């Protein structure tokens, strides 16, 4: 560009634009003359005081808005900037203009059309809409003569933000907690996706987020680049704005490409199901082994996503999805991650050897091992406490127990067992978590009895039981005697109990909280125990010889 053109563009920063009408006649003519002289679209971002925040020079048919920073970060707030730019021989806002309006949360966007050199011809503008029955994302005005614009943009944005806040859940006691918009994009029917979102909702709340809203989209094929089409992503962005959701949580594992592309489109935090589970594990890991396992899983997840400047990861540091043992590792390069992974695997190998020795000592004492297994939050730790009179931490949250806990239990029949509580299972358990927690889960291979605890009150108890059995098969844990217990039996009605008995005739009905069914459970365990081995002294051995 010529020095004189650059000087003219710099002068725009000294202009002040009125809220009523959006501009003066002189300013409109100045923009039209600059566009004609340069042969390019000229855009200006104007703040709510009428000052020019940024001047943008595009090409003949479009402008590209650079990253705008993080001003007015509130997820339910608009940007605080309106865009006014020129068009050549096109009186209407383009689809790209409207996408900028949505994804940048601009107060409004307006276009001055030029079809005669140096002179504006018409003006059209648009702004976002709060939740409405027609599900419209924005309102587009009719194109008017360039000198007939009389809209009060300050009053308009004030009313719009007021209405946006009125549609939010104001009953929430704390506005400090981030809100999440849950998204399911799958080829499965919507009722199947809705059930999966219920579990994702529990996971997200356990991780420390509030639920803002949800979106379910059934597709023939998942978009490999953005997971959703651009139009649906725009709807998603407006829904996030309306629900004051600063985090987008997808009920799947996003590929590195999808994560990067989504980060280029939206300024909101992006999480997937795997990150949420990893975050919960990071919060609940207390032992050194548990922390190492979580860190290894985090590094395995992060490594393929550290390509160039990954905005999606940079937005997570210190928050949901980016904390715990691995939170300071997000910016590590691949070489350093590889070195750290090697060191963690060496330490976990030592832990496995130590556990192997511990197992060998247990085997030498001939004390059978009974492992508590089941879906997360089924009540395994509560049952451990009920059977052993222990005080292991229990909480009505997913993955409240992460590190294995073992207690001895002696029966009146002069038999004793080691009762081991294990981490809960969940469907779509991330592969890197399965790999990282081998040192913990391999304990199940040495159990004499598996005590499968299921939450009878859960609406998908049959699915959860099936999921646990599938995971056991995948791990090669078969042919171990198993007792299926339907926990929280007291919370069912008589008709529900009858239905459960018919569906699971071999299961044992219990309530770990009220100690219902403990006697029968103890009897079943004793009946399945291997025969008690007789210990011989050296004197007896010599006599037998």
């Amino acid at each position: 560009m010529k020095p004189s053109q650059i000087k003219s563009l710099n002068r725009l920063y000294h202009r002040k634009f009125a809220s009523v009408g959006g501009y003066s006649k002189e300013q409109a003519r100045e923009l039209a003359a600059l566009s004609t002289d340069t042969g390019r679209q000229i855009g200006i971002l104007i703040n709510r005081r009428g000052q020019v925040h940024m001047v943008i020079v595009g090409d003949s048919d479009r402008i590209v808005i650079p990253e705008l920073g993080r001003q007015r970060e509130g997820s339910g707030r608009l940007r605080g900037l309106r865009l006014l730019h020129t068009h050549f021989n096109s009186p209407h806002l383009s689809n790209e203009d409207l996408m900028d309006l949505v994804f940048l949360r601009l107060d409004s966007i307006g276009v001055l059309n030029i079809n005669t050199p140096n002179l504006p011809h018409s003006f059209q503008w648009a702004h976002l809409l709060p939740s409405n029955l027609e599900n419209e994302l924005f309102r587009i005005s009719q194109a008017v003569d360039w000198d007939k614009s009389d809209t009060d943009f300050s009053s308009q944005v004030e009313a719009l933000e007021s209405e946006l806040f009125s549609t939010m859940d104001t009953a929430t006691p704390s506005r400090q907690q981030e809100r999440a918009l849950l998204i399911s994009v799958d080829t499965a029917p919507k009722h199947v996706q809705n059930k999966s979102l219920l579990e994702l909702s529990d996971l997200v709340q356990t991780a420390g987020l509030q639920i803002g809203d949800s979106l379910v989209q059934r597709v023939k094929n998942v978009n490999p680049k953005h997971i959703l089409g651009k139009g649906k992503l725009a709807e998603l962005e407006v829904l996030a704005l309306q629900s004051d959701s600063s985090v987008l949580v997808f009920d799947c594992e996003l590929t590195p490409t999808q994560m990067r592309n989504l980060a280029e489109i939206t300024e909101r935090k992006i999480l997937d199901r795997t990150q949420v589970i990893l975050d919960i594990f990071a919060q609940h890991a207390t032992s050194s082994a548990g922390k190492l396992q979580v860190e290894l899983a985090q590094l395995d997840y992060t490594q393929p996503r550290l390509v160039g400047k990954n905005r999606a990861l940079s937005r997570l540091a210190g928050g949901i999805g980016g904390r715990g043992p691995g939170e300071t590792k997000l910016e590590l390069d691949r070489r350093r991650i590889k070195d750290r992974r090697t060191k963690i695997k060496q330490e976990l190998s030592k832990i496995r050897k130590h556990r192997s020795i511990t197992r060998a000592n247990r085997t030498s004492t001939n004390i059978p091992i009974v492992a508590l297994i089941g879906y997360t939050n089924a009540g395994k730790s509560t049952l451990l406490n009920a059977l052993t009179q222990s005080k292991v931490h229990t909480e009505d949250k997913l993955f409240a127990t992460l590190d294995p806990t073992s207690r001895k239990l002696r029966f009146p029949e002069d038999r004793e067992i080691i009762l081991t509580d294990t981490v809960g299972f969940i469907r779509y358990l991330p592969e890197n978590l399965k790999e990282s927690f081998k040192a913990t889960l391999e304990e199940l291979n040495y159990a004499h009895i598996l005590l499968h605890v299921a939450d009878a009150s859960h609406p998908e108890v049959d699915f959860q039981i099936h999921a646990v059995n599938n995971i056991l098969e995948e791990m090669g844990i078969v042919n171990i005697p198993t007792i299926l217990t339907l926990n929280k039996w007291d919370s069912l009605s008589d008709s529900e109990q009858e239905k459960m008995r018919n569906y699971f005739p071999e299961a044992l009905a219990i309530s770990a909280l009220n100690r219902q069914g403990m006697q029968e459970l103890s009897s079943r365990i004793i009946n399945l125990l291997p025969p008690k081995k007789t210990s011989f002294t050296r004197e007896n051995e010599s006599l037998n010889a």
Side-chain angles (χ1 to χ4, degrees):
M1 295 183 68
K2 300 175 183 178
S4 60
Q5 293 171 337
I6 295 174
K7 188 174 181 179
S8 297
L9 288 167
N10 283 329
R11 277 201 292 266
L12 291 174
Y13 281 99
H14 302 291
R15 307 287 184 255
K16 188 166 184 178
F17 288 76
S19 62
V20 178
Y23 52 83
S24 67
K25 294 178 181 179
E26 292 76 15
Q27 289 165 342
R29 292 192 185 98
E30 183 179 22
L31 286 173
L34 275 170
S35 277
T36 300
D37 185 31
T38 60
R40 302 171 181 232
Q41 290 188 9
I42 303 295
I44 49 174
L45 285 164
I46 306 164
N47 66 25
R48 293 184 184 176
R49 295 185 297 275
Q51 300 165 331
V52 175
H53 173 78
M54 184 182 295
V55 177
I56 305 165
V57 179
D59 54 29
S60 61
D61 58 357
R62 65 195 294 259
I63 61 171
V64 177
I65 303 173
E67 192 169 354
L68 296 178
R70 304 178 69 85
Q71 67 266 37
R72 291 180 63 83
E73 288 187 37
S75 53
R77 304 175 73 186
L78 298 174
R79 173 74 60 176
L81 298 171
R82 60 185 169 96
L83 174 65
L84 173 64
H85 74 104
T86 56
H87 270 191
F88 290 108
N89 301 311
S90 178
H92 301 294
L93 289 160
S94 67
N95 187 62
E96 191 172 353
D97 290 331
L98 297 173
M99 292 302 100
D100 285 339
L101 171 68
V102 171
F103 290 112
L104 296 177
R105 305 200 314 272
L106 297 174
D107 290 359
S108 65
I109 187 167
V111 58
L112 273 170
N113 176 43
I114 304 167
N115 62 6
T116 302
N118 296 318
L119 290 176
H121 178 263
S122 62
F123 175 66
Q124 186 181 41
W125 55 267
H127 68 77
L128 294 173
L129 286 174
S131 182
N132 60 89
L133 295 176
E134 291 78 20
N135 291 322
E136 294 175 330
L137 303 184
F138 31 70
R139 175 174 293 139
I140 304 174
S141 75
Q142 294 291 327
V144 298
D145 292 342
W146 71 277
D147 55 352
K148 296 293 193 297
S149 173
D150 58 2
T151 300
D152 188 338
F153 287 95
S154 291
S155 298
Q156 171 192 283
V157 74
E158 186 178 325
L160 179 57
E161 279 202 333
S162 176
E163 195 169 350
L164 279 169
F165 273 109
S166 71
T167 60
M168 296 171 192
D169 181 13
T170 55
T172 305
S174 173
R175 299 276 301 166
Q176 300 302 314
Q177 200 173 16
E178 288 184 296
R179 292 191 182 198
L181 176 63
L182 311 184
I183 306 118
S184 175
V185 184
D186 206 299
T187 57
K190 284 194 174 183
H191 72 274
V192 175
Q193 295 184 60
N194 283 326
K195 287 183 179 180
S196 183
L197 275 188
L198 288 176
E199 183 170 273
L200 182 64
S201 175
D202 290 338
L203 286 167
V204 165
Q205 291 179 82
T206 299
L209 292 171
Q210 294 177 7
I211 305 301
D213 210 331
S214 62
L215 175 73
V216 175
Q217 180 72 9
R218 187 181 186 186
V219 294
K220 289 184 178 180
N221 296 294
V222 176
N223 189 315
K225 290 186 177 180
H226 298 97
I227 201 168
L228 280 169
K230 195 73 177 285
K232 205 65 182 180
L233 284 172
E235 181 182 333
L236 182 65
E237 186 69 19
V238 174
L239 186 60
L241 177 66
Q242 294 168 348
S243 61
D244 192 18
S245 299
S246 59
V247 186
L248 307 180
V249 185
F250 289 84
D251 190 24
C252 61
E253 182 169 318
L254 296 172
T255 66
T257 299
Q258 289 169 339
M259 183 79 76
R260 286 193 300 272
N261 290 339
L262 286 169
E264 291 295 326
I265 292 175
T266 179
E267 295 184 332
R268 302 178 193 276
K269 290 182 182 178
I270 302 163
L271 297 175
D272 60 18
R273 182 186 177 89
T274 300
Q275 285 173 289
V276 174
I277 294 175
L278 286 172
D279 187 87
I280 295 171
F281 274 52
Q283 293 182 56
H284 293 175
T286 55
S287 69
S288 58
K291 291 178 180 179
L292 286 171
Q293 289 162 338
V294 172
E295 183 176 357
L296 180 59
Q298 286 178 323
L299 293 175
D300 285 343
Y301 179 89
T302 302
Q303 186 173 9
R305 290 161 176 81
L306 280 180
V307 179
K309 184 182 178 183
N310 194 327
R311 293 191 209 173
L313 290 180
S314 67
R315 291 179 191 146
L316 298 178
I320 303 295
R323 63 181 162 196
E327 70 172 315
T328 59
K329 312 296 189 296
L330 288 179
E331 299 303 325
L332 287 175
D333 58 28
R334 290 178 180 273
R335 182 184 57 80
R336 293 178 63 194
I337 285 182
K338 184 178 179 180
D339 292 343
R340 180 59 182 158
R341 287 179 72 253
T342 300
K343 185 175 181 181
I344 291 175
K345 286 186 174 183
Q346 290 172 347
E347 293 183 40
L348 288 175
S349 179
K350 293 178 183 178
I351 291 172
R352 283 188 181 182
K353 289 180 181 178
H354 175 74
R355 287 179 174 172
S356 178
I357 294 171
T358 303
R359 263 196 314 271
N361 291 334
R362 288 177 181 172
T363 303
S364 65
T365 61
N366 298 324
I367 302 178
I369 299 172
V370 177
L372 289 162
I373 62 168
Y375 214 78
T376 180
N377 204 32
K380 296 182 294 298
S381 297
T382 304
L383 181 57
L384 177 74
N385 289 338
L387 287 171
T388 64
Q389 308 299 315
S390 302
K391 293 183 180 179
V392 173
H393 173 71
T394 61
E395 194 174 359
D396 187 19
K397 283 186 176 181
L398 304 184
F399 300 112
T401 299
L402 188 58
D403 298 305
T405 304
S406 296
R407 296 288 186 272
K408 272 190 178 182
L409 173 61
R410 178 176 289 275
F411 296 108
E413 293 82 356
D414 196 28
R415 295 296 306 268
E416 65 178 6
I417 63 171
I418 293 174
L419 195 62
T420 300
D421 190 10
T422 60
V423 62
F425 293 173
I426 196 169
R427 59 181 168 182
Y428 312 132
L429 185 67
E431 285 299 323
N432 46 21
L433 268 180
K434 289 182 185 178
E435 180 66 26
S436 300
F437 277 79
K438 274 185 178 179
T440 299
L441 297 175
E442 69 181 6
E443 294 285 327
L444 299 179
N445 288 296
Y446 301 92
H448 296 84
I449 299 173
L450 298 180
L451 194 52
H452 185 168
V453 184
D455 180 0
S457 67
H458 197 280
E460 289 195 279
V461 59
D462 54 336
F463 181 87
Q464 292 186 350
I465 291 173
H466 184 65
V468 171
N469 291 334
N470 282 345
I471 293 173
L472 290 174
E473 287 182 17
E474 290 173 8
M475 294 170 58
I477 300 174
V478 293
N479 301 324
I480 298 178
T482 302
I483 301 172
L484 175 61
T485 61
L486 297 176
N487 191 26
K488 308 180 187 180
W489 189 257
D490 54 320
S491 63
L492 300 181
S493 65
D494 291 342
S495 61
E496 289 172 332
Q497 289 180 356
E498 184 64 27
K499 184 179 178 181
M500 283 290 173
R501 287 193 185 97
N502 293 332
Y503 207 80
F504 302 105
E506 301 299 320
L508 179 62
I510 66 168
S511 173
L513 194 61
N514 299 330
R515 300 186 57 79
Q516 175 187 343
M518 294 300 104
Q519 189 63 45
E520 186 177 353
L521 177 57
S522 297
S523 298
R524 287 206 186 183
I525 293 173
I526 292 171
N527 291 336
L528 286 176
L529 288 177
K532 188 175 181 181
K533 294 182 180 180
T534 304
S535 298
F536 295 96
T537 63
R538 291 189 178 274
E539 182 179 354
N540 286 335
E541 288 176 355
S542 62
L543 287 173
N544 290 335

